[in-house]
Amino acid sequence: MTVRRLGAGLVAAALITPALAACASGTGTAGSTPSPTVTASGTASPSGAPVAGDAKQALLDSTKEISNGNFRFTLAGAGSTAEGLVHQPSQSAAMKISIGGPSSDLAMKLDVIHFKPDSWVKLELSGPTADSLPAIKQLNLGKYQHLDQNRIKGNRNLGFDFEKVDPAGSAVLTQGITEVRSTGTGAYAGTIDVTKAAEAGSLNAATIAALGTQAKTVPFTAKVDPQGRLSELVLQLPAAGQTAAQEIKMTYSDYGAATAAQKPPAAQVVEAPAELYSLFN
């Protein structure tokens, strides 16, 4: 396995791509609580009585606060986890990503910090594959590697776009809702057409293509906080080809109360070597 070949897999995994999972994370049916089904236009289906308000509009509105760029978030799926914060007032963001575990052939941990105009990443690669590649050993420095912004431009793993502050792209996903129903106070369930959601960040084009026609009716559940802001969105991806059914879960919290990311101490910073850019390009 070469560093460049390895890079393609890590990039996709860092975006929480279910197609890379080695085993299923379990399946579930979205929204088992009986309630009227509401179409995307907000009208009740023949099987249920009219519902007050527009459930889809409520979910669309729930993502607006995210665009203000002041929140904490988590992402989980396909054996990967990510957590972090976005703080638009200071033009800073931070994310910690973990892919694979102790028994994995290759496991990765990323600690990424952005404080415009700078970015840093601390990388930890482990497992038999990492141990066998000298080029990878050079990247396990135990320090933050300062990134050249010209070399990470457009890279969704190492870079960060402060014009598009949501790592999971929930606003894009909710626009694809085709059916939705209320399952309780601040709780919803339904289906999403994810065929146009490759830009969301939580799904990539290859995963969507593998789903085939199933991509148009992916079950989901969602929760909003007392202020109507999105607090949780869970996609239940059905099995596709050799990939088992997967769950992708994203959460949001601390709206308006996140703090600025912390720049790494100068003594813990080195310039990123060429091998790092090769790994992710």
PDB file of all heavy atoms in Angstrom, residues 66-93:
ATOM      1  N   ILE A  66     -27.063  27.377  12.537  1.00  0.00           N
ATOM      2  CA  ILE A  66     -25.752  26.790  12.253  1.00  0.00           C
ATOM      3  C   ILE A  66     -24.915  27.739  11.411  1.00  0.00           C
ATOM      4  O   ILE A  66     -23.702  27.873  11.613  1.00  0.00           O
ATOM      5  CB  ILE A  66     -25.916  25.432  11.535  1.00  0.00           C
ATOM      6  CG1 ILE A  66     -26.614  24.429  12.456  1.00  0.00           C
ATOM      7  CG2 ILE A  66     -24.556  24.881  11.099  1.00  0.00           C
ATOM      8  CD1 ILE A  66     -26.958  23.113  11.789  1.00  0.00           C
ATOM      9  N   SER A  67     -25.564  28.440  10.473  1.00  0.00           N
ATOM     10  CA  SER A  67     -24.828  29.329   9.568  1.00  0.00           C
ATOM     11  C   SER A  67     -24.169  30.498  10.295  1.00  0.00           C
ATOM     12  O   SER A  67     -23.270  31.146   9.747  1.00  0.00           O
ATOM     13  CB  SER A  67     -25.768  29.858   8.477  1.00  0.00           C
ATOM     14  OG  SER A  67     -26.785  30.671   9.039  1.00  0.00           O
ATOM     15  N   ASN A  68     -24.582  30.760  11.526  1.00  0.00           N
ATOM     16  CA  ASN A  68     -23.946  31.827  12.304  1.00  0.00           C
ATOM     17  C   ASN A  68     -22.568  31.416  12.812  1.00  0.00           C
ATOM     18  O   ASN A  68     -21.791  32.249  13.280  1.00  0.00           O
ATOM     19  CB  ASN A  68     -24.832  32.239  13.478  1.00  0.00           C
ATOM     20  CG  ASN A  68     -26.062  33.007  13.026  1.00  0.00           C
ATOM     21  OD1 ASN A  68     -26.032  33.696  12.004  1.00  0.00           O
ATOM     22  ND2 ASN A  68     -27.151  32.888  13.775  1.00  0.00           N
ATOM     23  N   GLY A  69     -22.290  30.116  12.743  1.00  0.00           N
ATOM     24  CA  GLY A  69     -20.949  29.645  13.045  1.00  0.00           C
ATOM     25  C   GLY A  69     -20.498  29.780  14.476  1.00  0.00           C
ATOM     26  O   GLY A  69     -19.378  30.220  14.749  1.00  0.00           O
ATOM     27  N   ASN A  70     -21.334  29.384  15.410  1.00  0.00           N
ATOM     28  CA  ASN A  70     -20.953  29.412  16.818  1.00  0.00           C
ATOM     29  C   ASN A  70     -21.626  28.229  17.505  1.00  0.00           C
ATOM     30  O   ASN A  70     -22.728  28.346  18.022  1.00  0.00           O
ATOM     31  CB  ASN A  70     -21.368  30.740  17.457  1.00  0.00           C
ATOM     32  CG  ASN A  70     -20.735  30.952  18.824  1.00  0.00           C
ATOM     33  OD1 ASN A  70     -20.442  30.002  19.540  1.00  0.00           O
ATOM     34  ND2 ASN A  70     -20.529  32.207  19.186  1.00  0.00           N
ATOM     35  N   PHE A  71     -20.971  27.083  17.497  1.00  0.00           N
ATOM     36  CA  PHE A  71     -21.583  25.863  18.036  1.00  0.00           C
ATOM     37  C   PHE A  71     -20.525  24.781  18.218  1.00  0.00           C
ATOM     38  O   PHE A  71     -19.398  24.888  17.737  1.00  0.00           O
ATOM     39  CB  PHE A  71     -22.671  25.341  17.090  1.00  0.00           C
ATOM     40  CG  PHE A  71     -22.176  25.066  15.686  1.00  0.00           C
ATOM     41  CD1 PHE A  71     -21.625  23.839  15.347  1.00  0.00           C
ATOM     42  CD2 PHE A  71     -22.268  26.034  14.699  1.00  0.00           C
ATOM     43  CE1 PHE A  71     -21.167  23.575  14.063  1.00  0.00           C
ATOM     44  CE2 PHE A  71     -21.813  25.797  13.403  1.00  0.00           C
ATOM     45  CZ  PHE A  71     -21.263  24.567  13.092  1.00  0.00           C
ATOM     46  N   ARG A  72     -20.925  23.725  18.908  1.00  0.00           N
ATOM     47  CA  ARG A  72     -20.144  22.493  18.995  1.00  0.00           C
ATOM     48  C   ARG A  72     -20.890  21.401  18.242  1.00  0.00           C
ATOM     49  O   ARG A  72     -22.109  21.463  18.092  1.00  0.00           O
ATOM     50  CB  ARG A  72     -19.924  22.079  20.459  1.00  0.00           C
ATOM     51  CG  ARG A  72     -19.018  23.033  21.219  1.00  0.00           C
ATOM     52  CD  ARG A  72     -18.751  22.560  22.650  1.00  0.00           C
ATOM     53  NE  ARG A  72     -17.860  23.470  23.334  1.00  0.00           N
ATOM     54  CZ  ARG A  72     -16.519  23.400  23.277  1.00  0.00           C
ATOM     55  NH1 ARG A  72     -15.964  22.417  22.585  1.00  0.00           N
ATOM     56  NH2 ARG A  72     -15.771  24.279  23.908  1.00  0.00           N
ATOM     57  N   PHE A  73     -20.161  20.399  17.784  1.00  0.00           N
ATOM     58  CA  PHE A  73     -20.794  19.367  16.977  1.00  0.00           C
ATOM     59  C   PHE A  73     -20.107  18.022  17.181  1.00  0.00           C
ATOM     60  O   PHE A  73     -18.970  17.947  17.661  1.00  0.00           O
ATOM     61  CB  PHE A  73     -20.735  19.732  15.489  1.00  0.00           C
ATOM     62  CG  PHE A  73     -19.331  19.744  14.937  1.00  0.00           C
ATOM     63  CD1 PHE A  73     -18.774  18.600  14.370  1.00  0.00           C
ATOM     64  CD2 PHE A  73     -18.553  20.892  14.993  1.00  0.00           C
ATOM     65  CE1 PHE A  73     -17.482  18.612  13.874  1.00  0.00           C
ATOM     66  CE2 PHE A  73     -17.256  20.917  14.504  1.00  0.00           C
ATOM     67  CZ  PHE A  73     -16.720  19.762  13.945  1.00  0.00           C
ATOM     68  N   THR A  74     -20.819  16.949  16.827  1.00  0.00           N
ATOM     69  CA  THR A  74     -20.235  15.609  16.759  1.00  0.00           C
ATOM     70  C   THR A  74     -20.737  14.936  15.497  1.00  0.00           C
ATOM     71  O   THR A  74     -21.823  15.251  14.993  1.00  0.00           O
ATOM     72  CB  THR A  74     -20.616  14.733  17.976  1.00  0.00           C
ATOM     73  OG1 THR A  74     -22.029  14.439  17.930  1.00  0.00           O
ATOM     74  CG2 THR A  74     -20.278  15.429  19.287  1.00  0.00           C
ATOM     75  N   LEU A  75     -19.940  14.018  14.989  1.00  0.00           N
ATOM     76  CA  LEU A  75     -20.317  13.172  13.856  1.00  0.00           C
ATOM     77  C   LEU A  75     -19.900  11.753  14.202  1.00  0.00           C
ATOM     78  O   LEU A  75     -18.829  11.549  14.780  1.00  0.00           O
ATOM     79  CB  LEU A  75     -19.604  13.601  12.574  1.00  0.00           C
ATOM     80  CG  LEU A  75     -20.004  14.900  11.892  1.00  0.00           C
ATOM     81  CD1 LEU A  75     -18.978  15.260  10.829  1.00  0.00           C
ATOM     82  CD2 LEU A  75     -21.377  14.761  11.276  1.00  0.00           C
ATOM     83  N   ALA A  76     -20.719  10.783  13.846  1.00  0.00           N
ATOM     84  CA  ALA A  76     -20.353   9.399  14.109  1.00  0.00           C
ATOM     85  C   ALA A  76     -20.940   8.507  13.031  1.00  0.00           C
ATOM     86  O   ALA A  76     -22.076   8.701  12.590  1.00  0.00           O
ATOM     87  CB  ALA A  76     -20.859   8.958  15.484  1.00  0.00           C
ATOM     88  N   GLY A  77     -20.145   7.537  12.586  1.00  0.00           N
ATOM     89  CA  GLY A  77     -20.627   6.592  11.591  1.00  0.00           C
ATOM     90  C   GLY A  77     -19.471   5.824  10.992  1.00  0.00           C
ATOM     91  O   GLY A  77     -18.326   6.304  10.961  1.00  0.00           O
ATOM     92  N   ALA A  78     -19.749   4.604  10.535  1.00  0.00           N
ATOM     93  CA  ALA A  78     -18.754   3.789   9.837  1.00  0.00           C
ATOM     94  C   ALA A  78     -17.486   3.571  10.651  1.00  0.00           C
ATOM     95  O   ALA A  78     -16.387   3.563  10.122  1.00  0.00           O
ATOM     96  CB  ALA A  78     -18.394   4.431   8.495  1.00  0.00           C
ATOM     97  N   GLY A  79     -17.639   3.409  11.962  1.00  0.00           N
ATOM     98  CA  GLY A  79     -16.479   3.180  12.802  1.00  0.00           C
ATOM     99  C   GLY A  79     -15.624   4.415  13.007  1.00  0.00           C
ATOM    100  O   GLY A  79     -14.496   4.316  13.481  1.00  0.00           O
ATOM    101  N   SER A  80     -16.154   5.581  12.663  1.00  0.00           N
ATOM    102  CA  SER A  80     -15.418   6.832  12.802  1.00  0.00           C
ATOM    103  C   SER A  80     -16.190   7.790  13.702  1.00  0.00           C
ATOM    104  O   SER A  80     -17.411   7.758  13.759  1.00  0.00           O
ATOM    105  CB  SER A  80     -15.211   7.490  11.437  1.00  0.00           C
ATOM    106  OG  SER A  80     -14.557   6.620  10.541  1.00  0.00           O
ATOM    107  N   THR A  81     -15.459   8.648  14.374  1.00  0.00           N
ATOM    108  CA  THR A  81     -16.100   9.679  15.178  1.00  0.00           C
ATOM    109  C   THR A  81     -15.367  11.001  14.962  1.00  0.00           C
ATOM    110  O   THR A  81     -14.173  11.020  14.649  1.00  0.00           O
ATOM    111  CB  THR A  81     -16.073   9.345  16.681  1.00  0.00           C
ATOM    112  OG1 THR A  81     -14.715   9.241  17.122  1.00  0.00           O
ATOM    113  CG2 THR A  81     -16.804   8.038  16.966  1.00  0.00           C
ATOM    114  N   ALA A  82     -16.099  12.080  15.123  1.00  0.00           N
ATOM    115  CA  ALA A  82     -15.499  13.405  15.040  1.00  0.00           C
ATOM    116  C   ALA A  82     -16.237  14.314  16.003  1.00  0.00           C
ATOM    117  O   ALA A  82     -17.445  14.186  16.179  1.00  0.00           O
ATOM    118  CB  ALA A  82     -15.584  13.950  13.619  1.00  0.00           C
ATOM    119  N   GLU A  83     -15.512  15.210  16.614  1.00  0.00           N
ATOM    120  CA  GLU A  83     -16.121  16.196  17.488  1.00  0.00           C
ATOM    121  C   GLU A  83     -15.320  17.487  17.382  1.00  0.00           C
ATOM    122  O   GLU A  83     -14.113  17.456  17.099  1.00  0.00           O
ATOM    123  CB  GLU A  83     -16.163  15.721  18.936  1.00  0.00           C
ATOM    124  CG  GLU A  83     -14.798  15.473  19.560  1.00  0.00           C
ATOM    125  CD  GLU A  83     -14.898  15.075  21.020  1.00  0.00           C
ATOM    126  OE1 GLU A  83     -15.956  15.329  21.620  1.00  0.00           O
ATOM    127  OE2 GLU A  83     -13.932  14.511  21.551  1.00  0.00           O
ATOM    128  N   GLY A  84     -16.012  18.595  17.585  1.00  0.00           N
ATOM    129  CA  GLY A  84     -15.287  19.843  17.472  1.00  0.00           C
ATOM    130  C   GLY A  84     -16.160  21.050  17.718  1.00  0.00           C
ATOM    131  O   GLY A  84     -17.290  20.936  18.211  1.00  0.00           O
ATOM    132  N   LEU A  85     -15.622  22.193  17.350  1.00  0.00           N
ATOM    133  CA  LEU A  85     -16.328  23.450  17.528  1.00  0.00           C
ATOM    134  C   LEU A  85     -16.043  24.375  16.366  1.00  0.00           C
ATOM    135  O   LEU A  85     -15.018  24.251  15.688  1.00  0.00           O
ATOM    136  CB  LEU A  85     -15.921  24.111  18.848  1.00  0.00           C
ATOM    137  CG  LEU A  85     -14.458  24.551  19.010  1.00  0.00           C
ATOM    138  CD1 LEU A  85     -14.219  25.965  18.472  1.00  0.00           C
ATOM    139  CD2 LEU A  85     -14.036  24.496  20.477  1.00  0.00           C
ATOM    140  N   VAL A  86     -16.974  25.279  16.138  1.00  0.00           N
ATOM    141  CA  VAL A  86     -16.809  26.344  15.156  1.00  0.00           C
ATOM    142  C   VAL A  86     -17.083  27.657  15.863  1.00  0.00           C
ATOM    143  O   VAL A  86     -18.080  27.780  16.579  1.00  0.00           O
ATOM    144  CB  VAL A  86     -17.780  26.174  13.965  1.00  0.00           C
ATOM    145  CG1 VAL A  86     -17.639  27.342  12.993  1.00  0.00           C
ATOM    146  CG2 VAL A  86     -17.538  24.852  13.249  1.00  0.00           C
ATOM    147  N   HIS A  87     -16.180  28.618  15.696  1.00  0.00           N
ATOM    148  CA  HIS A  87     -16.344  29.913  16.350  1.00  0.00           C
ATOM    149  C   HIS A  87     -16.072  31.015  15.332  1.00  0.00           C
ATOM    150  O   HIS A  87     -14.946  31.513  15.208  1.00  0.00           O
ATOM    151  CB  HIS A  87     -15.393  30.025  17.546  1.00  0.00           C
ATOM    152  CG  HIS A  87     -15.693  31.194  18.436  1.00  0.00           C
ATOM    153  ND1 HIS A  87     -14.882  32.312  18.499  1.00  0.00           N
ATOM    154  CD2 HIS A  87     -16.726  31.427  19.297  1.00  0.00           C
ATOM    155  CE1 HIS A  87     -15.389  33.181  19.362  1.00  0.00           C
ATOM    156  NE2 HIS A  87     -16.510  32.669  19.860  1.00  0.00           N
ATOM    157  N   GLN A  88     -17.115  31.352  14.594  1.00  0.00           N
ATOM    158  CA  GLN A  88     -16.997  32.341  13.525  1.00  0.00           C
ATOM    159  C   GLN A  88     -16.496  33.701  14.025  1.00  0.00           C
ATOM    160  O   GLN A  88     -15.713  34.359  13.333  1.00  0.00           O
ATOM    161  CB  GLN A  88     -18.356  32.497  12.842  1.00  0.00           C
ATOM    162  CG  GLN A  88     -18.401  33.443  11.662  1.00  0.00           C
ATOM    163  CD  GLN A  88     -17.749  32.888  10.422  1.00  0.00           C
ATOM    164  OE1 GLN A  88     -16.530  32.818  10.363  1.00  0.00           O
ATOM    165  NE2 GLN A  88     -18.551  32.509   9.439  1.00  0.00           N
ATOM    166  N   PRO A  89     -16.913  34.165  15.229  1.00  0.00           N
ATOM    167  CA  PRO A  89     -16.445  35.477  15.694  1.00  0.00           C
ATOM    168  C   PRO A  89     -14.924  35.618  15.703  1.00  0.00           C
ATOM    169  O   PRO A  89     -14.392  36.697  15.448  1.00  0.00           O
ATOM    170  CB  PRO A  89     -17.039  35.578  17.102  1.00  0.00           C
ATOM    171  CG  PRO A  89     -18.277  34.750  17.039  1.00  0.00           C
ATOM    172  CD  PRO A  89     -17.915  33.586  16.161  1.00  0.00           C
ATOM    173  N   SER A  90     -14.225  34.525  16.011  1.00  0.00           N
ATOM    174  CA  SER A  90     -12.760  34.564  16.036  1.00  0.00           C
ATOM    175  C   SER A  90     -12.147  33.950  14.783  1.00  0.00           C
ATOM    176  O   SER A  90     -10.923  33.848  14.682  1.00  0.00           O
ATOM    177  CB  SER A  90     -12.227  33.823  17.268  1.00  0.00           C
ATOM    178  OG  SER A  90     -12.578  32.448  17.211  1.00  0.00           O
ATOM    179  N   GLN A  91     -13.011  33.528  13.834  1.00  0.00           N
ATOM    180  CA  GLN A  91     -12.542  32.848  12.623  1.00  0.00           C
ATOM    181  C   GLN A  91     -11.676  31.643  12.999  1.00  0.00           C
ATOM    182  O   GLN A  91     -10.568  31.452  12.486  1.00  0.00           O
ATOM    183  CB  GLN A  91     -11.749  33.806  11.739  1.00  0.00           C
ATOM    184  CG  GLN A  91     -12.580  34.948  11.157  1.00  0.00           C
ATOM    185  CD  GLN A  91     -13.335  34.541   9.899  1.00  0.00           C
ATOM    186  OE1 GLN A  91     -12.808  34.583   8.798  1.00  0.00           O
ATOM    187  NE2 GLN A  91     -14.594  34.147  10.065  1.00  0.00           N
ATOM    188  N   SER A  92     -12.211  30.825  13.906  1.00  0.00           N
ATOM    189  CA  SER A  92     -11.472  29.644  14.331  1.00  0.00           C
ATOM    190  C   SER A  92     -12.389  28.426  14.388  1.00  0.00           C
ATOM    191  O   SER A  92     -13.614  28.548  14.490  1.00  0.00           O
ATOM    192  CB  SER A  92     -10.828  29.868  15.700  1.00  0.00           C
ATOM    193  OG  SER A  92     -11.811  29.965  16.730  1.00  0.00           O
ATOM    194  N   ALA A  93     -11.780  27.267  14.302  1.00  0.00           N
ATOM    195  CA  ALA A  93     -12.517  26.003  14.370  1.00  0.00           C
ATOM    196  C   ALA A  93     -11.537  24.913  14.780  1.00  0.00           C
ATOM    197  O   ALA A  93     -10.315  25.052  14.594  1.00  0.00           O
ATOM    198  CB  ALA A  93     -13.154  25.665  13.029  1.00  0.00           C
TER     199      ALA A  93
END
